[in-house]
C-alpha cells in the first residue's frame, strides 16, 4: 500500500501533445500558477473568516454574523470593498517601489506553494533541491516588506518594516536549521521523496521518528515559523499600540489586500511545509491494521494533506490567542540566545542519532 | 532539470497574477477628490515633522549581517546533510560526523563571538 506507482494525468496529457521548444513546460507552469493563485485566493478568503470566527469564539464573542450564514461571506464582501478602494500613494513615496512591494511577498508565497506536494501527483514542480529552494524563497518575502515600509515615507512604516525584517531574517535561520535537520535524518532534499520516506504507519512520520528529536524539531518549527510569519504573539512588526499598522500603514485598497493575501498565503505555505516534513504530507494516518489502512488509503491524498494543513492552521490561530506578545528585545533574545543554539544542538544530535542508526521509533 | 524549467515559467506568471490584481484594483477603485491632507503620511494624526528618510538604529544591520553569515553557512551544510544518511552503511558516517561537528563548533564560536561583543543586545 504505497504511492510509488503514480501518474499525473494533466502532466502526461500536456507532454503527450508533443509541443516544441519546451512549451509543454510552459503550459505546466501556467496551469500551476493559475491553480496556486486559486488556492491562495480561495484559501485566504476562507482563512480570514475562520481566523475571525476562531478568535471570536475564543473570546466568547460571535464574530461576523451578518453577511451570509454565520457570516461566511464576510471576507468576500471585504475583498469587494478593498477592490473599489483607492490605492493612495502618500506624499514623497517612491512610486515604483511602493507598487512593487506588495507583489513580492505574494509571489514568494506562490513560489513556495509551487513545490509543496498537495497529493501524490499534485505538485507544480518537484525540484531535487526542494528544501534549499524553500529557504531561498522564504528570503524574498522579507524584501517586499522592507522596501514597502521604506517607500511609504512614513516613520511608523519604516520602523515596522525594519522590525519585521530583523525578526523575519532571524527566525528564518531557525527554520533553515530545522529543515537542515530534516534533510539530514531523511537523506533527501526533494519534497516528494521526503513525504515518501514517511510511508508505513503514523509512527513513521518524522515527528515520531528519531526518538524525541523529531517531536522537538516539529515544536521548534512551529514556534520559528509563527515568528517568521509575523503572526501574534510574535507580531511586534505591527503591534497596533506601538507603531500603527507597521509596514503596511500607508497601504490602502488592493495594495493592502496583496499584503494580506501574502500573509495568509505564507500561512498556508508554512503549514504545508510542516505537514510535508513532519506529518507525512499526503499520506494517510495508517495504523498498521490492513482493513483500516485500506479504507484510509481509499481517501485521496489531497484530503489528508488538506486536513493536516487545516489542523496546523487552527493550531497557529489557537497559539495566537493563548500567549501575550513579547517585547522586541525579548523576541530577538529568544531567537539568537535560545532557539538558534538549541537548533544547532538538535542538528548535531540528529547527526549522531542517524550515525548510530537510532532513527526508527 | 524539468522542475526548474517549470518554476522559471511559473515565476513571472505568479508575479503577473499579483500585478494584475493591483492593476484591477487601481482600475476599479473610486478616486476621491484631492485635498491638502489627502496624501499626507498617517502618523496617528500628529502633524508630520520632516519625512521618513531618517537615520535609524544600526542594530538592524547587525542582525542582517548575522543572518547572512548563518544563512550561507547553513547552506554549506546541506551537501553533508543530504548524503549523510546514505553513508551510514558504508562506514563513512563517523568521518562525516566529525566534519559536521567541526563545522557546527566553528559556527557556534561565531555566535558566541557576536554574543560576547554585544551584537545580540537590543538597547
Amino acid at each position: 500500500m504505497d504511492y510509488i506507482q503514480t501518474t499525473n494525468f494533466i502532466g502526461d496529457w500536456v507532454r503527450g501533445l508533443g509541443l516544441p521548444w519546451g512549451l509543454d513546460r510552459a503550459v505546466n507552469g501556467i496551469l500551476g500558477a493559475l491553480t496556486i493563485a486559486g488556492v491562495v485566493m480561495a484559501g485566504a478568503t476562507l482563512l480570514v473568516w475562520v481566523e475571525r470566527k476562531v478568535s471570536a469564539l475564543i473570546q466568547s464573542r460571535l464574530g461576523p454574523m451578518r453577511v451570509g450564514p454565520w457570516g461566511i461571506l464576510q471576507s468576500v464582501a471585504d475583498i469587494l470593498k478593498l477592490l473599489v478602494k483607492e490605492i493612495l500613494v502618500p506624499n514623497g513615496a517612491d512610486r515604483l517601489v511602493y507598487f512593487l512591494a506588495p507583489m513580492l511577498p505574494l509571489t514568494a508565497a506562490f513560489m513556495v506553494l509551487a513545490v509543496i506536494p498537495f497529493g501524490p501527483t499534485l505538485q507544480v514542480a518537484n525540484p531535487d533541491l526542494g528544501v534549499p529552494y524553500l529557504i531561498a524563497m522564504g528570503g524574498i518575502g522579507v524584501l517586499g516588506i522592507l522596501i514597502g515600509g521604506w517607500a511609504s515615507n512614513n516613520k511608523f512604516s519604516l520602523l515596522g518594516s525594519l522590525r519585521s525584517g530583523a525578526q523575519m531574517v532571524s527566525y528564518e535561520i531557525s527554520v533553515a536549521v530545522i529543515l537542515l535537520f530534516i534533510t539530514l535524518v531523511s537523506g533527501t532534499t526533494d519534497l516528494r521523496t521526503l513525504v515518501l520516506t514517511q510511508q508505513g504507519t503514523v509512527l513513521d512520520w518524522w515527528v515520531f521518528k528519531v526518538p524525541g528529536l523529531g517531536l522537538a524539531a516539529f515544536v521548534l518549527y512551529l514556534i520559528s515559523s509563527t515568528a517568521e510569519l509575523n503572526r501574534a504573539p510574535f507580531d511586534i512588526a505591527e503591534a497596533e499600540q506601538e507603531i500603527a499598522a507597521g509596514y503596511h500603514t500607508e497601504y490602502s485598497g488592493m495594495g493592502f489586500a496583496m499584503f494580506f493575501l501574502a500573509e495568509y498565503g505564507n500561512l498556508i505555505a508554512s503549514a504545508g511545509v510542516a505537514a510535508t516534513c513532519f506529518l507525512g504530507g499526503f499520506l494517510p494516518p495508517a495504523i498498521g491494521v490492513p482493513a483500516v489502512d485500506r479504507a484510509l488509503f481509499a481517501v485521496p491524498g489531497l484530503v489528508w494533506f488538506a486536513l493536516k494543513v487545516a489542523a496546523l492552521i487552527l493550531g497557529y490561530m489557537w497559539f495566537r490567542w493563548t500567549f501575550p506578545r513579547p517585547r522586541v528585545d525579548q523576541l530577538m533574545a529568544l531567537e539568537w540566545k535560545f532557539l538558534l543554539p538549541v537548533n544547532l544542538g538538535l542538528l548535531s544530535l540528529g547527526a549522531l542519532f542517524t550515525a548510530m542508526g537510532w532513527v526508527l521509533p | 532539470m524539468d522542475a526548474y524549467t517549470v518554476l522559471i515559467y511559473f515565476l513571472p506568471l505568479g508575479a503577473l497574477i499579483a500585478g494584475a490584481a493591483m492593476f484591477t484594483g487601481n482600475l476599479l477603485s473610486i478616486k476621491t477628490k484631492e485635498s491638502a491632507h489627502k496624501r499626507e503620511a498617517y502618523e496617528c494624526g500628529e502633524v508630520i515633522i520632516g519625512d521618513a528618510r531618517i537615520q535609524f538604529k544600526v542594530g538592524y544591520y547587525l542582525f542582517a549581517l548575522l543572518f547572512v553569515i548563518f544563512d550561507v553557512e547553513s547552506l554549506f551544510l546541506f551537501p553533508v546533510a543530504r548524503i549523510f544518511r546514505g553513508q551510514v552503511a558504508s562506514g563513512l558516517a563517523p568521518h562525516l560526523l566529525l566534519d559536521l561537528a567541526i563545522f557546527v563548533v566553528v559556527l557556534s564560536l561565531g555566535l558566541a563571538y557576536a554574543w560576547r561583543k554585544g551584537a545580540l543586545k537590543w538597547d
Side-chain angles (χ1 to χ4, degrees), chain A residues 158-171:
Chain A
L158 181 69
L159 283 176
S161 73
L162 286 169
R163 276 191 186 190
S164 203
Q167 178 188 341
M168 285 169 87
V169 296
S170 298
Y171 280 85

Side-chain angles (χ1 to χ4, degrees), chain B residues 32-44:
Chain B
T32 53
K33 217 168 67 198
E34 295 289 331
S35 76
H37 299 299
K38 183 180 163 187
R39 290 179 188 280
E40 247 172 29
Y42 174 70
E43 292 179 358
C44 301

